[in-house]
Amino acid sequence: MSEFIQNIIAERLGGKMFGKDTKIYKFEKIKRAKRAALEANPGAELIDMGVGEPDDMADASIVNVLKVEAEKKENRFYSDNGIQEFKDAAAEYMKKRFGVDIDPITEVNHSIGSKPALAMIPFCLINPGDYALMTVPGYPVTGTITKYLGGEVYNMPLLKENNFLPDLHAVPEEVAKKAKILYINYPNNPTGAIAPVSFFEKVVAFAKKYNIAVIHDAAYIELTYGEKQESFLSVPGAKEVGIEIHSLSKSFNMTGWRMAFVCGNEVLVKAFATVKDNNDSGQFIPIQKAAAYALRNPQIISGITTKYQRRLKRVADILRKNGFFVNEPKGTFYLYFEIPKGTKSGRKFQNAEEFCDFLIREKLISSVPWDDAGHFLRFTVTFEAKDLQDEERILNEIEKRLSSEEYIF
Ligand SMILES: Cc1ncc(COP(=O)(O)O)c(C=O)c1O
């Protein structure tokens, strides 16, 4: 068989070596360990605290709008850069929830989820040699595409001692001068940290000093417990330097629906819309209408956060009882905590990948390891439970499995 396709794959994907890399990546290792654990324990229940998706479906009222609108002939067309009704709802939402003024004509555009928006932003800003400042651990899409375009990535570690905020002063001057993008994400995946307004003020000053566009990924902005996460755009000067990306995936249990919006700086929103127009032809109009309904009914969110808060508290308690140092997060549905050095039974863990592997194989608990800035594990509390009683059963099972070992820190 001709090998020519293999030989013409672009260098950004590895060229001729594409797909032949023998390194096994983190998520593949997790998948393999899960398979092996289930094979070794047939019929056993694997508790999945690795997935980053809500367990429930969208509220019935949102689903109903989709049903009604999908029946209408006039909603069948390409929507290109989106319907005005959704933009209006997004602008109203920004005002009502965060006190931010957004022009619904020029300062907002829908996106088929926030992931594609994060992937398209580098096309608006990056020339070969330009830098994107990314946070690690973190959601890497913008950095990956920056590299595809011949740009460079500078990783800023999120450290516990800095409340998981990047230290902007630690960015070398020559990198800052060549940077075009500063990516931040609060509430933060995976650390669960939220960002104070004072940090956003520093970000605006830094962006202005070095002419860097700020991309604030606000995918988890509605999932907070107690303290609110303010919008980056609520800070004076923010709209001059950046945009914020909001997603309906987590706030409204709409991950598979693919709806998000980009808002803020008019020129950057326009550049995004131009790139997007050459990538896709817009989300299905009934989905945009259902999303507009959701944004106009944010009371739906409280049922979702109540559940996560209850579960986060319980799992954090279980971890603390077992000697782990963990605080309940201020936002997201993640618990992020340092791994133990080993167990009293003689196991030793060099890094989070090893501890994650141990928990899957020995305790049938799946999670996600992060070894970018220290050695941490991420537990997600979006595991599926049939009802409250089933949730309690799963939580008790988590407790039983974790407590069957003594950890050394
Ligand atoms: C930090 C962060 N940003 C963006 C996304 C993508 O969300 P969406 O469903 O809107 O594409 C995720 C999804 O897990 C995420 O964790």
Side-chain angles (χ1 to χ4, degrees):
M1 203 176 67
S2 164
E3 282 282 297
F4 88 94
I5 295 291
Q6 182 76 44
N7 291 329
I8 62 168
I9 295 291
E11 291 304 327
R12 67 177 66 89
L13 294 186
K16 291 184 176 61
M17 293 309 290
F18 169 68
K20 296 189 171 173
D21 191 348
T22 49
K23 187 167 182 270
I24 307 167
Y25 291 94
K26 179 165 91 175
F27 288 99
E28 180 56 30
K29 280 188 196 163
I30 296 172
K31 226 190 280 174
R32 289 184 190 187
K34 277 160 100 171
R35 216 181 302 134
L38 286 173
E39 272 165 23
N41 301 277
E45 179 184 28
L46 191 135
I47 299 174
D48 202 337
M49 291 205 278
V51 281
E53 284 193 52
D55 50 320
D56 266 334
M57 63 185 287
D59 191 80
S61 61
I62 302 174
V63 178
N64 192 51
V65 177
L66 172 64
K67 276 192 206 159
V68 170
E69 296 299 330
E71 298 268 7
K72 295 183 185 166
K73 192 172 182 190
E74 68 267 27
N75 286 341
R76 73 191 185 282
F77 300 109
Y78 291 132
S79 71
D80 299 327
N81 270 327
I83 58 171
Q84 192 55 44
E85 182 184 331
F86 177 74
K87 294 187 187 194
D88 291 343
E92 280 166 35
Y93 166 84
M94 289 303 293
K95 183 71 185 170
K96 200 155 78 181
R97 296 295 273 184
F98 304 105
V100 170
D101 288 309
I102 291 293
D103 182 328
I105 308 283
T106 58
E107 293 180 336
V108 59
N109 207 94
H110 91 291
S111 175
I112 303 179
S114 54
K115 188 176 188 178
L118 292 167
M120 288 180 213
I121 296 296
F123 284 88
C124 306
L125 293 159
I126 297 293
N127 289 322
D130 292 340
Y131 271 80
L133 308 179
M134 301 294 296
T135 51
V136 284
Y139 198 69
V141 173
T142 301
T144 304
I145 304 294
T146 292
K147 285 193 253 175
Y148 282 179
L149 296 172
E152 308 275 344
V153 168
Y154 180 83
N155 285 327
M156 302 176 293
L158 300 183
L159 305 171
K160 198 160 78 171
E161 54 269 32
N162 273 344
N163 298 319
F164 301 115
L165 301 168
D167 179 3
L168 300 173
H169 295 298
V171 178
E173 181 87 14
E174 65 277 15
V175 171
K177 281 183 180 159
K178 285 196 260 174
K180 289 270 193 74
I181 291 175
L182 167 59
Y183 168 87
I184 49 174
N185 159 232
Y186 292 96
N188 181 258
N189 173 12
T191 67
I194 67 171
V197 166
S198 57
F199 170 71
F200 286 155
E201 285 165 353
K202 283 184 202 147
V203 167
V204 170
F206 179 79
K208 282 190 176 167
K209 181 172 174 194
Y210 293 106
N211 295 332
I212 303 173
V214 178
I215 314 302
H216 182 226
D217 175 353
Y220 297 87
I221 199 161
E222 292 284 8
L223 305 186
T224 55
Y225 314 103
E227 216 173 310
K228 184 179 173 212
Q229 173 64 67
E230 297 296 344
S231 163
F232 170 66
L233 297 173
S234 67
V235 170
K239 224 197 253 181
E240 289 162 44
V241 300
I243 53 169
E244 190 161 78
I245 307 176
H246 288 256
S247 170
L248 282 90
S249 290
K250 328 276 172 173
S251 318
F252 294 96
N253 287 342
M254 290 170 72
T255 40
W257 296 54
R258 315 310 299 133
M259 258 320 269
F261 65 90
V262 166
C263 63
N265 185 272
E266 182 179 339
V267 180
L268 199 43
V269 169
K270 192 172 170 183
F272 166 70
T274 304
V275 174
K276 184 185 169 300
D277 208 22
N278 285 288
N279 269 275
D280 63 64
S281 300
Q283 183 51 282
F284 185 40
I285 291 170
I287 292 183
Q288 291 186 56
K289 293 207 174 213
Y293 168 86
L295 292 178
R296 287 182 165 135
N297 289 278
Q299 75 283 355
I300 291 169
I301 301 164
S302 64
I304 299 170
T305 48
T306 303
K307 179 179 76 181
Y308 293 147
Q309 189 170 22
R310 182 177 69 231
R311 291 182 177 190
L312 286 164
K313 188 173 178 319
R314 271 284 269 130
V315 180
D317 282 342
I318 293 168
L319 284 166
R320 280 191 292 258
K321 261 198 233 168
N322 281 283
F324 290 82
F325 181 85
V326 62
N327 289 321
E328 278 114 274
K330 292 194 172 152
T332 73
F333 39 53
Y334 303 117
L335 285 157
Y336 184 73
F337 53 95
E338 256 166 303
I339 62 153
K341 287 196 180 75
T343 65
K344 287 215 170 132
S345 59
R347 301 294 291 250
K348 288 201 170 39
F349 309 116
Q350 302 288 337
N351 54 41
E353 278 197 20
E354 284 183 17
F355 184 53
C356 173
D357 190 73
F358 164 81
L359 285 185
I360 297 175
R361 289 174 198 266
E362 310 277 327
K363 310 290 167 198
L364 281 98
I365 292 177
S366 177
S367 60
V368 175
W370 297 90
D371 287 304
D372 312 76
H375 303 295
F376 288 78
L377 214 61
R378 188 193 79 183
F379 273 1
T380 314
V381 296
T382 55
F383 51 83
E384 272 196 54
K386 290 190 234 27
D387 49 31
L388 266 179
Q389 205 184 345
D390 194 38
E391 177 181 302
E392 199 46 38
R393 180 192 64 78
I394 295 167
L395 288 164
N396 288 336
E397 189 59 34
I398 293 169
E399 177 155 20
K400 196 170 98 195
R401 293 186 193 185
L402 284 177
S403 308
S404 63
E405 204 77 49
E406 278 187 77
Y407 305 93
I408 303 166
F409 293 88

